[in-house]
């Protein structure tokens, strides 16, 4: 890991950009993290739209988490931002747009091509990021995962034992294969669902929640579209992590 920039935000949060090989990322730590006991870490998941585009929402989530004593980190997803393009993924996104614009059902082939390669590539990169982040001064465990793509969160919760709790955003298409993986998830879950999400299959999101094997899981549904998540939803997610990462 190589840090490429560092700045102190106006609330004292330390923001550091880094690269992990070819993977860009950002780490946020509370102002007191370097002088006190190591703090828990939350990985901030996001859709494959690029860190620059997602930055305003990510830094807002990071600030709220830092106020409760958590470090947060995120990485650029494969095929996003300045990383090399994925022709197959771009074709799958084009197929998805055509189906949605035509009012046609989104078939399993499109969903699989769009999501499964991303999960297969992104999850090992998140694990490599954990390997590099956890030994840093001021950061310890346990670790949580927060956000989307929900299939990435599902896979991480299954294969990465350092993830001890997850707050998942049910705002993306889910391949049928991921329902089998969801049954193997056992960590506490806090699942957010926008009831009128124009790009999400509500019933599939409910079925996925039902499939999760966790003994402790809660579903938090709010009226509104994909970008209409109320501020209270973020506050509830932070409280969830306060209960499970302390």
């Amino acid at each position: 890991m190589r840090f490429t920039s560092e700045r102190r935000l106006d609330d004292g949060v330390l923001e550091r950009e880094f690269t992990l090989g070819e993977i860009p990322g950002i780490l946020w730590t509370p102002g007191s993290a370097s002088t006190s006991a190591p703090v828990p870490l939350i990985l901030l998941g996001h859709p494959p739209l690029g860190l620059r585009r997602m930055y305003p929402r990510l830094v807002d989530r990071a600030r709220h988490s830092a106020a409760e004593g958590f470090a947060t980190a995120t990485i650029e997803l494969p095929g996003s931002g300045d990383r090399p393009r994925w022709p197959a993924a771009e074709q799958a996104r084009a197929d998805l747009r055509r189906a949605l614009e035509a009012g046609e059902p989104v078939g399993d082939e499109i969903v699989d091509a769009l999501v499964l390669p991303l999960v297969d590539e992104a999850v090992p990169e998140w694990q490599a990021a954990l390997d590099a982040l956890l030994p840093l001064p001021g950061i310890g465990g346990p670790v949580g995962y927060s956000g989307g793509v929900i299939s990435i969160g599902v896979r991480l919760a299954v294969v990465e034992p350092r993830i001890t709790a997850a707050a998942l955003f049910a705002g993306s298409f889910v391949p049928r294969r991921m329902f089998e993986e969801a049954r193997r998830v056992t960590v506490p879950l806090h699942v957010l669902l926008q009831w009128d999400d124009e790009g999400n299959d509500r019933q599939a999101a409910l079925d996925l929640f039902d499939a999760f094997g966790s003994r402790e899981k809660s579903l938090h549904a709010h009226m509104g579209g994909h970008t209409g998540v109320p501020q209270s939803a973020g506050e509830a997610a932070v409280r969830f992590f306060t209960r499970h990462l302390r």
Side-chain angles (χ1 to χ4, degrees), residues 21 25 41 46 52 66 89 98 101 103 111 114-115 141 154-155 173-174 192-193 196 202 205 216:
L41 174 67
H46 54 89
R52 292 178 185 175
R98 278 196 294 270
E101 290 169 0
V111 174
L114 186 70
V115 178
V154 170
R155 175 72 60 79
F173 291 98
V174 181
L192 172 64
L193 171 64
D196 305 301
R202 181 197 302 164
E216 180 182 339

Side-chain angles (χ1 to χ4, degrees), residues 25-47:
I26 309 174
L27 170 65
W28 293 273
T29 49
S32 60
S34 62
T35 59
S36 60
V39 299
L41 174 67
I42 300 174
L43 304 178
L44 298 182
H46 54 89

